Amino acid sequence: MGVDPGLTRCGVGVVEGTPGRPCRMVTVGVVRTPPDADLADRLLTVDDMLSRYVEKYRPDAVAVERVFSQHNVASVIGTAQASAVAILVGARRGIPVHTYTPSEAKAAITGSGTADKKQMTTMVTRLLRLDEPPKPADAADALALAICHVWRGGTRARIQRAAQLQQTPKGAQA
Amino acid sequence: MGVDPGLTRCGVGVVEGTPGRPCRMVTVGVVRTPPDADLADRLLTVDDMLSRYVEKYRPDAVAVERVFSQHNVASVIGTAQASAVAILVGARRGIPVHTYTPSEAKAAITGSGTADKKQMTTMVTRLLRLDEPPKPADAADALALAICHVWRGGTRARIQRAAQLQQTPKGAQA
């Protein structure tokens, strides 16, 4: 499950797949909270809605976009707060949580860490063989994070396996 | 219960009292998480420790310092994430959560919105009649937020009562 964190719009996307193979979209959505609502109510809504996704789809991992200080300073606070909620939704249930920078997600999906929103949406639509692009962009970004995690998880597992094989003494059973 | 949010040091202070009268300190502490630990683990620790305070002391309200974009941009992300955790710890249990700006807390405690850390600590020590200043500063700030809430809550309640009295038609029972 990928989460593109935000208080006004929080993208959520669930995919299933194995490393190196096309993923399948399970669901996609956006959690919205009114900008003029009380902060506690907004955080509670994001917590509640993301919790429902986790309980319904029981993801193996949660991938959340990492918040950077390069972001717009005015909006970074809300984004950071929503990301904390998303991370806790997974962590409280013992689900592994990984964070990825926007460039990592872009590089995993398009091959370029500097791809723009439109290129990302186009690639996500193509990779998941969707009939039309997921909207809004937050939804597409959430799916991109989920795909990024599946694929990079594969790379990571292969590296770990290779490292283990190298460490295994000759003649020993791996 | 007041919370001065932070990932590396999160101050927590519980006081009891009524508006316009001296408050009594119930407890004070600091939740610390290692800066090199995984973000999910850090947020989970803050969530877990603040939850223990809430379950042990059952506060009537949680007062959290509001995060501002004026903060250092590099540290604002962690502060914002810790504040989201603190707000949710109260909100998930239906406890009213209020946020106060640093100036609001300073003005409530010292009479000046621009008081420095030392003046704040001195006043918190005096107001709570403590034998020695609470340390570190995060702990004193958490107590200040708690006192600020008790006192301002009183002002707010008086304003609401006055407004209700004005709205009550003559001869009606309030």
Side-chain angles (χ1 to χ4, degrees):
Chain A
M1 177 168 120
V3 180
D4 183 28
L7 273 185
T8 305
R9 285 187 312 276
C10 184
V12 195
V14 180
V15 304
E16 61 179 14
T18 49
R21 304 205 50 189
C23 291
R24 190 182 73 81
M25 183 177 85
V26 176
T27 190
V28 67
V30 176
V31 176
R32 296 170 194 270
T33 74
D36 56 348
D38 182 69
L39 177 59
D41 290 338
R42 300 183 79 185
L43 294 172
L44 202 55
T45 301
V46 175
D47 183 42
D48 188 41
M49 297 302 287
L50 292 183
S51 295
R52 289 189 201 184
Y53 275 96
V54 162
E55 276 150 27
K56 182 163 181 187
Y57 297 102
R58 307 209 166 268
D60 295 326
V62 177
V64 183
E65 188 171 294
R66 194 176 303 166
V67 187
F68 259 113
S69 46
Q70 289 99 299
H71 276 75
N72 177 331
V73 181
S75 70
V76 81
I77 294 172
T79 310
Q81 290 173 323
S83 80
V85 176
I87 291 168
L88 269 187
V89 162
R92 273 206 312 267
R93 292 168 176 85
I95 303 170
V97 178
H98 299 263
T99 57
Y100 294 102
T101 63
S103 338
E104 286 174 324
K106 286 173 184 177
I109 303 300
T110 69
S112 156
T114 58
D116 61 21
K117 287 243 168 222
K118 205 176 154 221
Q119 289 172 305
M120 282 289 275
T121 301
T122 306
M123 279 307 291
V124 165
T125 311
R126 197 179 300 170
L127 289 169
L128 295 174
R129 297 167 195 174
L130 305 176
D131 292 333
E132 46 186 60
K135 279 181 192 169
D138 314 76
D141 282 348
L143 290 169
L145 284 157
I147 300 171
C148 166
H149 180 73
V150 171
W151 287 356
R152 287 181 58 116
T155 312
R156 214 176 294 166
R158 275 197 301 278
I159 292 169
Q160 280 175 350
R161 215 154 38 225
Q164 276 168 355
L165 284 172
Q166 259 185 337
Q167 282 164 14
T168 310
K170 274 174 193 157
Q173 296 289 322
Chain B
M1 177 169 121
V3 180
D4 183 28
L7 273 185
T8 304
R9 285 187 313 276
C10 183
V12 195
V14 180
V15 304
E16 60 180 15
T18 49
R21 305 206 48 189
C23 291
R24 191 182 72 82
M25 184 176 83
V26 176
T27 189
V28 67
V30 176
V31 176
R32 295 170 194 270
T33 73
D36 56 348
D38 183 69
L39 177 60
D41 291 337
R42 300 183 79 186
L43 293 172
L44 203 55
T45 301
V46 175
D47 183 42
D48 189 40
M49 298 302 289
L50 292 183
S51 296
R52 288 187 202 186
Y53 276 95
V54 163
E55 276 150 27
K56 182 163 180 188
Y57 298 101
R58 309 209 165 268
D60 296 325
V62 177
V64 183
E65 188 172 294
R66 194 176 304 167
V67 188
F68 260 113
S69 46
Q70 288 100 299
H71 274 76
N72 176 328
V73 181
S75 71
V76 80
I77 293 173
T79 309
Q81 290 173 323
S83 80
V85 176
I87 291 168
L88 270 187
V89 161
R92 274 206 310 267
R93 292 167 176 85
I95 303 169
V97 179
H98 299 262
T99 57
Y100 295 102
T101 64
S103 339
E104 285 174 325
K106 286 173 183 178
I109 303 301
T110 69
S112 156
T114 57
D116 63 22
K117 288 242 168 223
K118 205 175 154 224
Q119 289 171 304
M120 281 289 276
T121 300
T122 305
M123 280 307 291
V124 165
T125 311
R126 195 177 303 169
L127 289 170
L128 296 174
R129 297 165 193 176
L130 305 177
D131 292 333
E132 46 185 60
K135 280 182 190 167
D138 314 76
D141 283 347
L143 289 170
L145 284 157
I147 301 171
C148 167
H149 180 73
V150 171
W151 287 354
R152 288 182 56 118
T155 311
R156 214 175 295 166
R158 274 197 302 278
I159 292 168
Q160 280 174 350
R161 217 156 35 226
Q164 275 167 357
L165 284 174
Q166 261 186 333
Q167 282 165 14
T168 309
K170 275 174 193 158
Q173 298 288 322

